[in-house]
Amino acid sequence: MDQFNNLPYDDRPDAEAIHQAAEDSRVKLRTLFAQLIPARIAEIKAGTAPDDSLTRILSLNLPAADHFGMDRVVINVGGLLIGAIETTAEAVVNALAELFARPEALAGARAAAEAGDDAVFDGYVWEALRFSPIVAFMFREAASTITIAQGTDREKVIGKGTVVLPLSLSAMFDPDFVPDPEAFRPDRPFHTYLHFGYGHHECLGRYVGGVMIPEIVKRVLRRPAARPLAPVDMAGTPFPQSYRIGLG
């Protein structure tokens, strides 16, 4: 809630309480890692460690030149824990709701799922999320003064410290870069989408969510009778709290 939905311009009456709760959780998480990581390293040496993301990261043995020390281990594991639960749930729900609302796309997605054609199926999921992404924009503060769109009639100087909102939703519908943007086309190249950001700001969970989200959606759609029983219920929060689906 604090990481993704406690923005300074929202004037939330509970903004400070949300931030303090997040800080309290961070302290607990650091304490947990201080106990868990040394214990897991000992298990790896003993050959008794479970096969999970923490074990795999600690077993990388990357050279020092990669600057992937214990701080990066904590950032990666903690980042996945904080950023991969609600966001994944929202992406899955949004994709399903969008596909259920589009009978032709739903039929195509189900055919690809039954055929085991993940490349084609994934295209349906990412295209559905283009119409219903988990976030419509990013919140950023300019680290230095810079001129954007230089040399065009849209040229604009952004001063250091300026708050900017890059609109990823509208960018994915920009007709200068996305042909026929209002059409649902699951065969678009992946660079059309900004679900995980772009370039060196790309999401840490790109290679986790990129597999996990379509797989969960696929498991639902492979049930022939799967259908929504009620609209998505956000229950006054930024995240889906309930989405009732019938499977039989």
Side-chain angles (χ1 to χ4, degrees):
M1 187 70 173
D2 189 53
Q3 192 80 12
F4 295 103
N5 293 280
N6 197 19
L7 304 177
Y9 51 78
D10 283 345
D11 293 326
R12 296 182 62 104
D14 57 351
E16 285 302 320
I18 289 172
H19 183 66
Q20 187 57 54
E23 285 298 314
D24 294 345
S25 293
R26 290 186 183 101
V27 170
K28 293 176 182 177
L29 195 57
R30 284 193 292 268
T31 301
L32 171 64
F33 284 143
Q35 300 169 351
L36 177 62
I37 290 176
R40 183 59 56 83
I41 291 173
E43 289 176 327
I44 292 171
K45 291 178 179 178
T48 59
D51 182 15
D52 59 18
S53 57
L54 177 58
T55 295
R56 293 187 182 197
I57 290 174
L58 289 172
S59 300
L60 287 175
N61 295 317
L62 296 172
D66 285 335
H67 303 290
F68 199 92
M70 199 55 64
D71 59 328
R72 302 305 301 176
V73 172
V74 171
I75 289 171
N76 274 263
V77 178
L80 288 173
L81 180 62
I82 295 167
I85 299 174
E86 289 88 355
T87 50
T88 297
E90 186 172 5
V92 168
V93 166
N94 286 11
L96 283 169
E98 192 68 33
L99 288 169
F100 281 135
R102 297 174 177 272
E104 186 176 343
L106 179 62
R110 280 185 155 142
E114 286 301 319
D117 194 333
D118 289 346
V120 172
F121 180 82
D122 290 4
Y124 281 94
V125 175
W126 305 131
E127 181 71 351
L129 286 172
R130 185 172 71 91
F131 286 85
S132 185
I134 64 171
V135 292
F137 61 87
M138 302 295 166
F139 169 81
R140 295 292 184 266
E141 183 177 299
S144 61
T145 298
I146 190 171
T147 302
I148 60 174
Q150 193 166 13
T152 73
D153 58 0
R154 297 176 287 105
E155 182 174 311
K156 178 72 175 178
V157 176
I158 304 296
K160 180 180 179 179
T162 301
V163 172
V164 294
L165 299 178
L167 304 177
S168 52
L169 174 57
S170 63
M172 291 189 289
F173 281 82
D174 186 342
D176 289 340
F177 296 94
V178 181
D180 197 11
E182 297 299 328
F184 190 101
R185 288 173 40 183
D187 59 346
R188 296 185 190 275
F190 190 76
H191 65 251
T192 302
Y193 308 115
L194 298 173
H195 306 317
F196 296 100
Y198 182 77
H200 67 281
H201 287 291
E202 196 170 46
C203 176
L204 171 65
R206 162 71 180 88
Y207 297 101
V208 177
V211 175
M212 187 163 56
I213 293 165
E215 186 64 25
I216 297 171
V217 174
K218 181 172 65 177
R219 294 292 167 174
V220 174
L221 295 187
R222 288 185 68 178
R223 299 288 292 267
R227 67 204 183 281
L229 299 178
V232 177
D233 183 5
M234 307 293 279
T237 76
F239 304 107
Q241 300 301 308
S242 175
Y243 186 40
R244 295 182 62 230
I245 293 176
L247 299 176

